[in-house]
């Protein structure tokens, strides 16, 4: 029975991750990013896209997919991630993506700034956004 | 201060703040909230000491812990604001409130700079900074950034060269599985020296940090020039220098977290010192028991202070002809070391994302083969700490 529930859980987790996408404004110059680009931008190892334009990562506060996203790009759990950010934030060497309280604010910001990039569920992608990275 | 003056200053500050954010949002047609990043930190620290101790604290280089006393005065609260003035230009301020030696709340601004992003992950910053020699110097006030409770560096971690005003050049380099962060700086240090005998002139420093998937490694070196004065403000040496270096790492191996660090200072006039530390934690869900040990060593070489004018080799006057036994009344410092050993065990509890608790017992012991006068304080004793810490 335990195995059955474990399989169901893994299947659902996989489904959730499969629905998570990285998006930008429809008119942004970026067409596609790879996993390394996404990790470097969201972990503030770089503040530039591969074409040299400024990257502004943003995210939804308290999002259900946030932990999955960072686990996927960095292998860090929320506690390890907070430790990572703390050393960067308070030495002025980096900062986490700007957090927004609701999806509409996040999407509005994405649609109106060509440098903004975020991760959302596939179902939340609007006509004014484009997907620049899909998780395998 | 007269009430009218307070009202005037308050109005002026309000105008400056609102004008500043108005400038940011007006220039880009965006809400200022989109261009301002704010973060904070806090540590509510209750420490009991069974002896009189002089140790580095959350807020500054040396705090006196009284014999058989307990209190919350090692607590610290702070925050930072970074505002993007344009896509390339930003300002950054970080300050903290702590309790000074008179147990009065005091505010200090640790970081205040203007930053310009040249693209290609090259940034130049100008303003006030903390030095990156060991994480404990740069992140001393951020208890949440470390596994253990009290900042590790005992006594002279960075020889008083903790902060400076100047320019920094930062460069990020990405690799497949990690990234480099290089920092080149120059400026004037604000030397922490209660006696006023050290007047700093300039410093140059270089730091390189590699962030891997499950570890980071940082090396830093600092060269500083300073003037040495006596108690009457007479210059004893106008061209003294100090070279400090550090190497530090954190490695995560499954549930194990290993931290190690080494720092050394080689000075013309003041004593040479070195620091070693290591800690090991074992993560069990939200609970991480840990142990740590550190050693601070100051090496004395017939050192007597202050050195006489014209004598600048850092060793002080030579002793008279060697005698089998120094006379009892001879209280000069001998060849030898002044060590402070620290050993601690504790538990960290991550109660939630960004906050938690620590409990730590620490034993501090000194060994004094150099004959340094350490009556005030003796640095032999125990501390017990319970703290609540967090970042947001």
């Amino acid at each position: 029975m335990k195995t059955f529930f474990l399989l169901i859980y893994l299947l659902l987790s996989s489904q959730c991750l499969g629905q998570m996408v990285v998006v930008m404004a429809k008119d942004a110059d970026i067409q596609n990013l790879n996993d390394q680009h996404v990790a470097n931008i969201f972990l503030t190892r770089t503040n530039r896209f591969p074409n040299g334009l400024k990257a502004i990562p943003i995210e939804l506060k308290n999002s259900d997919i946030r932990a999955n996203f960072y686990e996927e790009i960095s292998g860090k759990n929320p506690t390890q991630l907070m430790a990572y950010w703390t050393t960067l934030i308070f030495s002025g060497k980096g900062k986490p993506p700007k957090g927004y309280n609701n999806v509409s604010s996040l999407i509005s910001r994405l649609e109106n700034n060509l440098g903004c990039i975020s991760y959302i569920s596939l179902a939340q992608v609007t006509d004014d956004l484009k997907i620049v990275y899909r998780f395998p | 201060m007269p009430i009218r003056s307070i009202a005037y200053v308050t109005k002026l500050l309000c105008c400056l703040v609102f004008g500043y954010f108005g400038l940011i949002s007006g220039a880009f047609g965006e809400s200022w909230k989109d261009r301002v990043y704010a973060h904070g930190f806090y540590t509510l620290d209750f420490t009991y000491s069974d002896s009189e101790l002089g140790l580095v604290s959350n807020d500054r280089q040396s705090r006196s812990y009284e014999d058989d006393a307990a209190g919350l005065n090692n607590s610290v609260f702070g925050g930072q604001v970074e505002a993007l003035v344009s896509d390339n230009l930003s300002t950054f301020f970080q300050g903290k409130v702590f309790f000074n030696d008179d147990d009065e709340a005091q505010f200090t601004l640790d970081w205040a700079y203007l930053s310009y992003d040249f693209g290609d992950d090259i940034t130049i910053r100008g303003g006030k900074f903390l030095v990156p020699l060991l994480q404990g110097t740069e992140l001393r006030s951020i208890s949440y950034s470390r596994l253990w409770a009290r900042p590790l560096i005992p006594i002279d971690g960075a020889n008083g060269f903790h902060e400076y005003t100047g320019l920094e050049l930062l460069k990020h380099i990405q690799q497949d599985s990690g990234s480099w962060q290089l920092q080149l700086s120059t400026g004037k240090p604000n030397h922490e020296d209660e006696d006023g005998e050290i007047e700093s002139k300039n410093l140059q420093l270089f730091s390189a940090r590699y962030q891997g998937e499950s570890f980071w490694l940082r090396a830093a070196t600092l060269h500083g020039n300073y003037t040495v004065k006596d108690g009457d403000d007479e210059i004893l040496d106008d061209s003294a220098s100090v070279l400090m270096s550090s190497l530090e790492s954190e490695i995560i191996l499954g549930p194990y977290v290993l931290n190690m660090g080494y720092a050394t200072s080689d000075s013309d006039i003041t004593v040479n010192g070195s620091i070693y530390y290591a800690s090991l934690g074992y993560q069990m869900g939200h609970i991480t028991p840990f142990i740590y040990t550190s050693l601070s060593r100051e090496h004395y070489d017939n050192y007597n202070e202050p050195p006489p004018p014209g004598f600048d080799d850092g060793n002080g006057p030579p002793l008279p002809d060697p005698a089998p036994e120094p006379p009892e009344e001879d209280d000069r410092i001998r060849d030898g070391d002044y060590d402070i050993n620290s050993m601690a065990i504790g538990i960290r509890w991550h109660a939630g994302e960004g906050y938690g608790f620590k409990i730590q017992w620490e034993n501090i012991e000194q060994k004094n083969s150099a004959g340094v006068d350490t009556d005030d304080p003796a640095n032999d004793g125990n501390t017990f700490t319970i703290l609540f810490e967090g970042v947001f």
Side-chain angles (χ1 to χ4, degrees):
Chain A
M1 197 63 172
K2 273 184 181 175
T3 313
F4 172 74
F5 281 119
L6 184 63
L7 283 171
I8 293 291
Y9 171 77
L10 288 173
L11 187 64
L12 289 174
S13 302
S14 161
Q15 289 271 336
C16 283
L17 201 60
Q19 293 173 349
M20 188 168 58
V21 289
V22 178
V23 293
M24 294 182 68
K26 187 176 66 179
D27 297 331
D29 283 342
I30 303 298
Q31 305 307 323
N32 283 298
L33 295 172
N34 64 29
D35 56 348
Q36 202 60 54
H37 295 143
V38 172
N40 285 338
I41 289 167
F42 279 90
L43 297 172
T44 64
R45 293 172 186 158
T46 181
N47 59 8
R48 298 281 156 176
F49 290 112
N51 64 2
L53 292 174
K54 178 100 171 182
I56 306 170
I58 59 177
E59 66 185 6
L60 192 61
K61 282 182 189 170
N62 306 316
S63 157
D64 292 339
I65 60 175
R66 185 172 178 271
N68 269 345
F69 175 77
Y70 284 105
E71 183 81 41
E72 183 68 19
I73 67 166
S74 68
K76 296 181 192 299
N77 64 36
T79 301
Q80 292 167 333
L81 189 68
M82 185 56 88
Y84 170 80
W85 285 128
T86 300
T87 56
L88 293 179
I89 293 169
F90 296 104
S91 60
K93 303 286 190 329
K95 54 184 177 293
K98 182 89 177 170
Y100 286 80
N101 289 321
N102 55 65
V103 179
S104 57
S105 302
L106 181 86
I107 290 178
S108 170
R109 174 91 167 123
L110 278 167
E111 291 173 345
N112 293 308
N113 191 315
L114 301 182
C116 283
I117 180 169
S118 191
Y119 55 91
I120 56 178
S121 297
L122 183 59
Q124 294 170 322
V125 179
T126 67
D127 291 343
D128 290 323
L129 297 177
K130 70 176 166 192
I131 297 169
V132 293
Y133 179 74
R134 286 175 188 270
F135 285 89
Chain B
M1 182 185 279
I3 291 174
R4 282 183 64 187
S5 301
I6 293 173
Y8 175 75
V9 170
T10 307
K11 279 180 187 172
L12 186 65
L13 280 173
C14 287
C15 287
L16 283 171
V17 169
F18 285 113
Y20 180 64
F21 290 135
L23 179 74
I24 291 167
S25 57
F28 296 92
E30 292 178 323
S31 164
W32 64 269
K33 289 179 184 172
D34 291 330
R35 306 189 73 84
V36 174
Y37 296 75
H39 296 280
F41 59 89
Y42 54 87
T43 305
L44 193 61
D45 179 311
F46 175 85
T47 294
Y48 166 78
S49 57
D50 67 3
S51 307
E52 192 178 349
L53 300 166
L55 302 170
V56 65
S57 72
N58 287 322
D59 50 75
R60 58 190 180 279
Q61 181 65 3
S62 182
R63 163 181 287 283
S64 295
Y65 294 79
E66 293 176 9
D67 179 20
D68 192 21
L72 290 166
N73 55 5
N74 199 19
S75 302
V76 62
F77 310 89
Q80 66 166 240
V81 176
E82 181 176 10
L84 308 180
V85 182
S86 75
D87 279 350
N88 298 90
L89 190 66
S90 66
T91 57
F92 184 99
F93 300 95
Q94 182 173 309
K96 65 175 184 271
V97 176
F98 60 96
F99 297 100
N100 62 22
D101 288 330
D102 299 322
D103 288 336
E104 295 168 342
Q106 185 176 329
F107 174 79
T108 58
L109 195 63
D110 286 340
W111 304 77
Y113 60 79
L114 201 61
S115 175
Y116 188 83
D117 177 4
F118 283 94
D120 202 22
D121 292 316
I122 297 175
T123 305
I124 191 163
R125 316 196 297 189
K128 184 181 179 187
F129 308 94
L130 297 181
V131 303
L133 280 170
L134 292 183
Q135 195 160 268
T137 312
E138 199 172 35
L139 295 165
R140 181 193 304 168
S141 300
I142 322 295
S143 173
Y144 191 82
S145 68
R146 54 182 173 264
L147 186 58
W148 46 92
R150 196 176 57 77
L152 272 172
I153 303 173
I155 313 298
D156 282 327
N159 256 9
F161 289 83
H162 303 112
E163 58 181 52
Y164 65 99
T165 305
L167 290 173
E168 282 187 359
L169 183 68
L170 298 176
K171 168 69 179 165
H172 280 77
I173 301 168
Q174 299 85 46
Q175 294 182 322
D176 286 347
S177 57
S179 64
W180 285 96
Q181 192 178 70
L182 309 177
Q183 176 182 342
L184 193 61
S185 306
T186 184
K188 184 180 186 311
N190 310 318
H191 194 272
E192 219 175 289
D193 175 30
E194 291 176 359
D195 301 327
E197 292 174 349
I198 303 291
E199 189 176 299
S200 56
K201 293 161 84 172
N202 57 65
L203 66 73
Q204 302 79 40
L205 71 86
F206 174 74
S207 148
R209 186 182 196 271
Y210 183 78
Q211 175 75 55
E213 286 181 359
S214 56
F215 74 98
W216 57 260
L217 176 71
R218 179 160 77 173
T221 186
L222 180 156
H223 180 265
N225 292 304
Y226 57 95
T227 299
V228 183
K229 295 179 176 180
D230 65 11
D232 300 322
D233 216 24
E234 290 287 324
I235 292 176
L236 302 178
D237 191 329
D238 196 30
S239 57
S241 67
V242 61
L243 181 67
M244 289 180 269
S245 303
S246 66
L247 188 64
E248 191 173 27
S249 181
E250 178 179 277
I251 301 167
I252 298 173
L253 291 169
Y256 294 96
V257 186
L258 178 64
N259 288 80
M260 297 172 288
Y262 168 69
T264 180
S265 69
D266 186 355
S267 171
D268 281 351
I269 295 295
T270 50
V271 294
N272 298 333
S274 53
I275 291 165
Y276 311 81
Y277 82 82
S279 84
L280 180 66
Y282 184 80
Q283 295 175 323
M284 298 184 295
H286 296 292
I287 302 287
T288 308
F290 63 86
I291 55 170
Y292 93 58
T293 181
S294 68
L295 166 66
S296 162
R297 169 163 292 169
E298 292 177 348
H299 180 70
Y300 291 81
D301 187 14
N302 292 346
Y303 176 82
N304 275 307
E305 60 177 340
F311 191 90
D312 64 355
D313 67 358
N315 291 326
L319 287 170
D321 293 334
E325 292 289 333
E328 281 186 17
E329 65 273 14
D330 186 353
D331 59 355
R332 284 174 298 185
I333 294 170
R334 304 178 290 275
D335 281 348
D337 299 320
Y338 173 51
D339 292 351
I340 301 177
N341 293 293
S342 175
M343 179 73 77
I345 57 170
I347 293 175
R348 182 181 201 183
W349 172 35
H350 277 284
E353 193 175 334
Y355 65 96
F357 296 85
K358 285 175 192 159
I359 298 175
Q360 175 177 295
W361 170 81
E362 181 180 15
N363 173 257
I364 298 123
E365 189 180 284
Q366 70 174 19
K367 290 177 183 170
N368 190 359
S369 62
V372 183
D373 179 9
T374 58
D375 289 342
D376 185 23
N379 284 325
D380 267 321
N382 299 279
T383 65
F384 180 74
T385 300
I386 301 176
L387 64 80
F388 175 55
E389 62 183 9
V391 294
F392 56 90

